[in-house]
Amino acid sequence: MKTSGPFHTDRRGFLIGSAAATGALVIGVPLLHAGTAGAADASGVEVTHWIVIQPDDTVVIRIARSELGQGSFTGLAMLVAEELECDWSKVAPEYADVNEHVRRNRIWGNMSTGGSRGIRDSHEYVRKAGAAAREMLLTAAARTWDVPVAELSVAKGVVTHAKTGRSTTYGRLAPIATTLEAPKEPKLKDPKDWTLVGTSACCTHRSRSARSTAASACATTTRWRRACAG
């Protein structure tokens, strides 16, 4: 009986072969700034379990749903960023770490994904995550300056007190905000006041595949914007 020589393969070949043997379908979607939860902790502050803010004002938004080309990864990040009032150009979405999820008593809730359910089933609580973090950051600024929160405004991650002309950034406020308790029922923005969700701002990715995924996110969030406004 003739035997073959030594079998050699690399990791990619092994995964492809395994998928073919088991009938598994593996879809790879390149994503802008994709990472896993925990990567930002060394250089940033976890304001809530959904949001980490770094000193350079980079906002890491954790996503607990899978991206299968339907735009959930970008769309959910947009919903959080809309309520947070941060600078979209400084947003870096990352996947929530499943091991951390278990260690923290399933803190990110349902992590399953089926079609557009990633946004449909979780849009409300991720919006609340962004709104809660925004209120915490504004409270941190109000306490720092000893002024009422109502006198503050925020745009693109910059908090301003018009009466005194003072301003600061989320990156500077995050260490103070993280010491505060997250509000349970933060005030959400009226959909008519949305400036990010449903726009083409998410379609600035450089690769064709990433632009295609972002376009799906734009279409999905546009439908949600119309539904919420109606």
Side-chain angles (χ1 to χ4, degrees), residues 151-173:
E151 292 183 0
L152 301 177
S153 62
V154 58
K156 293 188 174 182
V158 177
V159 179
T160 302
H161 185 238
K163 287 187 177 181
T164 59
R166 287 178 290 188
S167 65
T168 189
T169 65
Y170 277 176
R172 295 175 181 172
L173 292 170

Side-chain angles (χ1 to χ4, degrees), residues 109-186:
N110 188 351
M111 299 183 79
S112 65
T113 302
S116 63
R117 288 183 61 189
I119 289 180
R120 188 168 69 246
D121 291 354
S122 57
H123 71 99
E124 183 176 356
Y125 63 76
V126 298
R127 286 179 62 200
K128 285 183 177 180
R134 181 191 71 236
E135 291 186 8
M136 293 165 70
L137 289 156
L138 287 172
T139 299
R143 292 187 180 183
T144 299
W145 294 332
D146 193 22
V147 298
V149 173
E151 292 183 0
L152 301 177
S153 62
V154 58
K156 293 188 174 182
V158 177
V159 179
T160 302
H161 185 238
K163 287 187 177 181
T164 59
R166 287 178 290 188
S167 65
T168 189
T169 65
Y170 277 176
R172 295 175 181 172
L173 292 170
I176 303 171
T178 195
T179 66
L180 306 176
E181 184 176 353
K184 290 182 172 55
E185 292 297 330

Side-chain angles (χ1 to χ4, degrees), residues 69-226:
Q70 80 280 44
S72 295
F73 189 82
T74 304
L76 289 170
M78 290 183 77
L79 288 166
V80 176
E82 180 73 67
E83 297 292 344
L84 182 58
E85 293 281 11
C86 62
D87 186 343
W88 176 249
S89 68
K90 295 182 179 180
V91 169
E94 70 175 21
Y95 286 113
D97 188 293
V98 292
N99 293 318
E100 188 71 10
H101 179 59
V102 173
R103 282 194 293 268
R104 298 173 70 173
N105 196 26
R106 304 185 182 280
I107 195 168
W108 287 289
N110 188 351
M111 299 183 79
S112 65
T113 302
S116 63
R117 288 183 61 189
I119 289 180
R120 188 168 69 246
D121 291 354
S122 57
H123 71 99
E124 183 176 356
Y125 63 76
V126 298
R127 286 179 62 200
K128 285 183 177 180
R134 181 191 71 236
E135 291 186 8
M136 293 165 70
L137 289 156
L138 287 172
T139 299
R143 292 187 180 183
T144 299
W145 294 332
D146 193 22
V147 298
V149 173
E151 292 183 0
L152 301 177
S153 62
V154 58
K156 293 188 174 182
V158 177
V159 179
T160 302
H161 185 238
K163 287 187 177 181
T164 59
R166 287 178 290 188
S167 65
T168 189
T169 65
Y170 277 176
R172 295 175 181 172
L173 292 170
I176 303 171
T178 195
T179 66
L180 306 176
E181 184 176 353
K184 290 182 172 55
E185 292 297 330
K187 184 178 180 180
L188 297 177
K189 293 173 66 175
D190 190 313
K192 68 180 177 59
D193 297 324
W194 287 352
T195 59
L196 179 63
V197 172
T199 70
S200 59
C202 60
C203 300
T204 56
H205 305 275
R206 285 174 285 187
S207 71
R208 180 180 299 177
S209 57
R211 285 199 304 271
S212 176
T213 300
S216 297
C218 290
T220 302
T221 55
T222 296
R223 289 194 295 270
W224 274 110
R225 178 172 186 161
R226 290 171 180 167

Side-chain angles (χ1 to χ4, degrees), residues 36-46 52-55 58-60 62 92 94:
T36 55
D41 293 352
S43 58
V45 175
E46 185 181 85
V52 174
I53 299 180
Q54 299 176 346
T58 296
V59 177
V60 177
R62 291 169 176 161
E94 70 175 21

